[in-house]
C-alpha cells in the first residue's frame, strides 16, 4: 500500500493535480467496501428498543432519579489541533467512507452519556422528542451490516448527537497521519485508500487507489488512480467533505 501511495502521488503530479515539489505528506487508510441496502424492520426494531432504554435511563439521571456511571465509551480527538489539521483528519475519514462504522451496528455507540449530553443541550425536548430526533435521522438505506446511520453521504447524525467514540475515534491510519501533522503543517497532504472492483469486492485482480488531496486551503480533490497495469485515472473533484 505504501508503494501504491507513491504511485498515486506520481500520477497526480503528472496530471498537474499537485506540484512536483513541496512540503507534502502521505498517508494510508482503510476503505469501506460495503454496499448500500434498505434498512429492514427486523434490523430497526431492536435498535429502537435499545435506544428507548438508553433514553429512559438518561432521563432518569437528568431528573435526579439515578446517577451517571462511567460506561467506558469515551474517546476524544486531541483538542490542540489546528483547523487545517482537523480538516485533514476529517477529509481522511470522508475518503475512507466509514470502514470503521460497522462496529456501531445495532447501537451506533449511543450510550446514556451520549443522550444525556444531547438532552442538556436541548432542555426543551422531552424523552419522546429525543427519541423522535434520533429515529428521524435514520434514512431509507445504509451500508450493509453496518450502523443504521452509515449512509452514502456519511453519518446522518449531526455531531452533537453522535457519541464521543464516533466524534473522536482515530483508526491506525489516522493516528499515523496525526503523528506527521504534529511534526509539521504540510502544504499538501495526500491520503490514499485501497479500493477494488465495486461489483466484486472480493476480486483483487482489479485494484485501484482512491486518493484525497488536501492542500493549504483545505480544498479536497478526489481521484481514482487505477492499477499500474491499466494506467488510467478518473479525477473526481470536491471542495468539501
Amino acid at each position: 500500500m505504501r508503494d501504491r501511495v507513491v504511485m498515486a502521488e506520481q500520477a497526480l503530479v503528472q496530471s498537474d493535480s499537485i506540484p512536483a515539489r513541496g512540503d507534502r505528506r502521505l498517508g494510508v487508510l482503510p476503505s469501506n467496501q460495503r454496499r448500500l441496502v434498505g434498512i429492514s424492520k427486523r434490523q430497526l426494531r431492536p435498535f429502537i428498543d435499545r435506544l428507548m432504554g438508553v433514553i429512559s435511563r438518561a432521563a432518569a439521571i437528568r431528573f435526579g432519579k439515578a446517577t451517571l456511571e462511567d460506561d467506558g465509551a469515551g474517546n476524544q480527538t486531541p483538542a490542540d489541533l489546528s483547523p487545517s489539521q482537523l480538516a485533514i483528519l476529517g477529509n481522511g475519514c470522508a475518503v475512507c467512507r466509514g470502514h470503521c462504522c460497522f462496529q456501531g451496528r445495532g447501537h451506533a455507540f449511543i450510550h446514556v452519556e451520549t443522550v444525556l449530553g444531547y438532552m442538556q443541550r436541548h432542555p426543551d425536548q422531552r424523552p419522546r422528542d429525543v427519541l423522535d430526533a434520533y429515529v428521524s435521522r435514520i434514512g431509507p438505506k445504509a451500508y450493509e451490516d453496518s450502523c443504521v446511520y452509515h449512509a452514502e453521504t456519511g453519518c446522518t447524525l449531526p455531531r452533537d448527537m453522535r457519541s464521543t467514540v464516533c466524534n473522536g475515534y482515530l483508526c491506525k491510519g489516522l493516528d499515523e497521519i496525526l503523528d506527521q501533522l504534529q511534526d509539521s503543517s504540510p502544504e499538501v497532504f495526500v491520503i490514499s485508500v485501497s479500493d477494488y472492483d465495486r461489483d466484486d469486492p472480493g476480486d483483487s485482480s482489479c485494484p485501484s487507489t482512491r486518493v484525497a488531496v488536501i492542500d493549504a486551503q483545505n480544498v479536497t480533490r478526489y481521484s481514482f488512480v487505477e492499477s499500474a497495469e491499466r494506467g488510467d485515472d478518473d479525477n473526481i473533484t470536491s471542495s468539501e467533505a
Side-chain angles (χ1 to χ4, degrees):
M1 278 305 301
R2 291 287 175 186
D3 291 340
R4 294 189 61 78
V5 175
V6 174
M7 291 172 58
E9 179 192 20
Q10 292 172 348
L12 290 167
V13 169
Q14 291 171 0
S15 66
D16 294 325
S17 296
I18 56 177
R21 296 178 181 272
D23 183 14
R24 182 158 54 242
R25 297 291 183 270
L26 306 178
V28 179
L29 296 177
S31 174
N32 169 41
Q33 298 180 40
R34 299 170 187 273
R35 63 190 181 99
L36 285 168
V37 296
I39 300 178
S40 66
K41 292 182 179 179
R42 183 178 180 181
Q43 177 186 7
L44 198 56
R45 188 69 259 172
F47 175 83
I48 294 177
D49 287 345
R50 178 191 176 278
L51 181 60
M52 290 173 64
V54 171
I55 292 173
S56 177
R57 293 193 295 275
I61 294 168
R62 181 185 175 193
F63 296 117
K65 297 180 180 179
T67 58
L68 178 64
E69 297 180 3
D70 184 7
D71 56 20
N75 198 318
Q76 296 288 344
T77 303
D80 57 347
L81 299 180
S82 69
S84 177
Q85 291 172 330
L86 287 171
I88 289 174
L89 293 177
N91 282 298
C93 280
V95 74
C96 165
R97 299 177 182 173
H99 177 268
C100 65
C101 293
F102 78 93
Q103 298 178 69
R105 61 178 179 262
H107 52 75
F109 290 104
I110 297 173
H111 298 282
V112 171
E113 187 176 7
T114 310
V115 174
L116 186 61
Y118 177 78
M119 286 179 166
Q120 290 169 344
R121 291 187 293 273
H122 302 273
D124 57 319
Q125 292 192 13
R126 295 167 294 179
R128 66 182 181 186
D129 298 323
V130 176
L131 178 64
D132 288 342
Y134 273 94
V135 173
S136 68
R137 284 170 172 81
I138 300 174
K141 288 187 176 183
Y143 283 103
E144 186 175 30
D145 198 28
S146 189
C147 176
V148 295
Y149 297 109
H150 187 193
E152 185 175 17
T153 54
C155 182
T156 57
L157 285 178
R159 283 196 174 275
D160 78 328
M161 295 181 72
R162 300 179 201 172
S163 71
T164 53
V165 172
C166 297
N167 279 329
Y169 174 73
L170 298 179
C171 68
K172 181 179 179 181
L174 287 180
D175 261 330
E176 292 177 351
I177 290 171
L178 182 58
D179 287 341
Q180 298 185 61
L181 292 174
Q182 291 176 335
D183 293 336
S184 65
S185 297
E187 179 182 348
V188 177
F189 209 107
V190 180
I191 296 175
S192 174
V193 182
S194 174
D195 200 11
Y196 294 94
D197 187 281
R198 290 168 182 246
D199 293 329
D200 184 8
D203 179 12
S204 61
S205 62
C206 182
S208 64
T209 303
R210 189 162 72 242
V211 179
V213 182
I214 298 96
D215 63 18
Q217 287 74 43
N218 298 331
V219 176
T220 304
R221 298 184 297 278
Y222 297 108
S223 302
F224 282 93
V225 181
E226 297 296 337
S227 62
E229 290 79 5
R230 297 181 60 178
D232 303 323
D233 70 270
D234 178 20
N235 293 324
I236 304 172
T237 62
S238 172
S239 61
E240 184 178 358

